[in-house]
Amino acid sequence: MAPDTETLTVGAAARRLGIAAPTLRSWERRYGLSPSARSTGGHRRYSLEDLARLGAMLRMVNQGVPTAEAASVVRDRLYPDPSPTVTSATSIAEGTRGRGHLVPRRAGRSAGGRSRTGGPGKLADLFELANAMDGERLTHEIARSLDRSGAVEAWTSRLVPLLVGVGDQWERTGACVEVEHLASDAVAGGLRYHTRRAVERFKPDETERPVVLACLEREDHALPLLAVAAALAERAVRVRTLGAATPVSSLSTAVRRIRPAAVFIWSSAPGTADLDALRTLARTRPSYSLVVGGPGWQAPGKPDAWVSSLADAVDTLVRAVRT
């Protein structure tokens, strides 16, 4: 390994992967996924190839593959180093590829993000627009898809395949992180625009208690929350979106002030799913329904409130508001 190749400590590697450091140590102890590099002082460090191997394992776990099986698959494979100066900025694709984790089973691009323009009224190819760095048109086409199909269908069939596609592109090449940034920003912009329009169109009942959407403190990936918000707006449900990396103390304060009918918490990876934090979350009168979604909650054993798809999340939250 060249001396100027980037290496990471356990804590830094865990942050890069979006998991807890104890999880990484457990994988090393149980499955032999040890760091292969050494610092000048002889301390063990994770190389970029190690990170690529662990990232592949994490994606398999997020898809529902048992951890031990995923480890056995990746352990002896070679993973070429990506560029040491590039980090995947949109790990949403990693956190949304699994079976039903607010998204479908991984879709082929021809079924969603790679829909071709073939005449009037046809949808443009989102993947090509992202690679052309045409952010304005990409945002427009995303908003058009949402308006045409609704939030659940558009997220499932077009937006997730787009995010998976640009994530795969970065993984293969170690480049094009700027495309990931642009695609993520366009998806967020399109979802927010659609939500505003849905609120104006369907006019939520101000007497109904709202739904709070949040991620816990270690979760930085909040795009799925925007998809839930857009779908709830179509059902005329009031929403308060707190977004990524919300400390449980702040979430508790918000719950006390808002008095919601339901709280939905998203987790993309096991290191961001904190059952102990859920147990300390403030309770109110009248009570609220606590609902969790995302592949991160599978590792703790899928809490009772876990929902497996965007449609299920929306239906569960609507019932909490109206029953």
Side-chain angles (χ1 to χ4, degrees), residues 26-187:
S26 173
W27 288 358
E28 177 186 358
R29 185 174 63 254
R30 294 182 181 181
Y31 310 120
L33 296 171
S34 304
S36 63
R38 287 281 190 275
S39 70
T40 53
H43 299 291
R44 292 185 304 168
R45 294 289 187 268
Y46 286 90
S47 69
L48 294 176
E49 182 175 1
D50 294 334
L51 287 183
R53 179 176 293 104
L54 290 165
M57 174 179 169
L58 183 59
R59 284 188 293 276
M60 293 176 68
V61 171
N62 288 346
Q63 292 169 349
V65 177
T67 307
E69 181 180 335
S72 68
V73 170
V74 305
R75 187 182 297 116
D76 298 321
R77 287 187 181 178
L78 296 178
Y79 291 86
D81 290 2
S83 167
T85 60
V86 177
T87 301
S88 176
T90 330
S91 298
I92 284 299
E94 297 176 3
T96 57
R97 293 184 200 210
R99 291 174 296 208
H101 303 313
L102 286 182
V103 294
R105 189 174 284 113
R106 183 173 175 180
R109 289 177 186 154
S110 62
R114 299 298 300 268
S115 177
R116 296 282 181 180
T117 301
K122 296 290 185 181
L123 295 172
D125 186 324
L126 302 185
F127 186 78
E128 287 186 356
L129 291 175
N131 276 284
M133 299 298 289
D134 192 343
E136 183 175 350
R137 189 174 172 210
L138 178 59
T139 303
H140 171 78
E141 288 296 332
I142 287 169
R144 185 173 170 228
S145 293
L146 288 161
D147 186 58
R148 179 170 176 162
S149 304
V152 172
E153 175 61 25
W155 173 258
T156 298
S157 66
R158 302 211 77 207
L159 303 189
V160 167
L162 168 65
L163 294 169
V164 169
V166 295
D168 280 349
Q169 181 172 253
W170 175 84
E171 187 178 305
R172 289 193 311 272
T173 66
C176 301
V177 71
E178 72 282 357
V179 175
E180 271 199 301
H181 279 224
L182 182 137
S184 177
D185 185 68
V187 169

Side-chain angles (χ1 to χ4, degrees), residues 207-296:
T207 66
E208 287 185 338
R209 295 160 66 201
V211 171
V212 169
L213 308 177
C215 300
L216 295 180
E217 193 161 7
R218 291 177 296 196
E219 179 60 73
D220 294 324
H221 305 130
L223 275 183
L225 294 185
L226 300 184
V228 175
L232 288 175
E234 294 173 347
R235 303 280 289 270
V237 171
R238 298 168 63 214
V239 172
R240 299 291 181 267
T241 304
L242 304 184
T246 305
V248 69
S249 59
S250 299
L251 180 54
S252 288
T253 299
V255 164
R256 292 189 191 99
R257 295 182 63 186
I258 296 169
R259 304 282 172 171
V263 174
F264 176 79
I265 301 177
W266 161 264
S267 168
S268 67
T272 70
D274 190 340
L275 285 175
D276 290 335
L278 293 189
R279 295 186 187 104
T280 65
L281 193 59
R283 300 300 171 181
T284 63
R285 290 183 181 276
S287 63
Y288 59 86
S289 297
L290 180 61
V291 183
V292 299

Side-chain angles (χ1 to χ4, degrees), residues 10 190 197 212 249 298 319:
V10 171
R197 288 195 49 162
V212 169
S249 59
Q298 281 196 306
R319 282 196 303 271

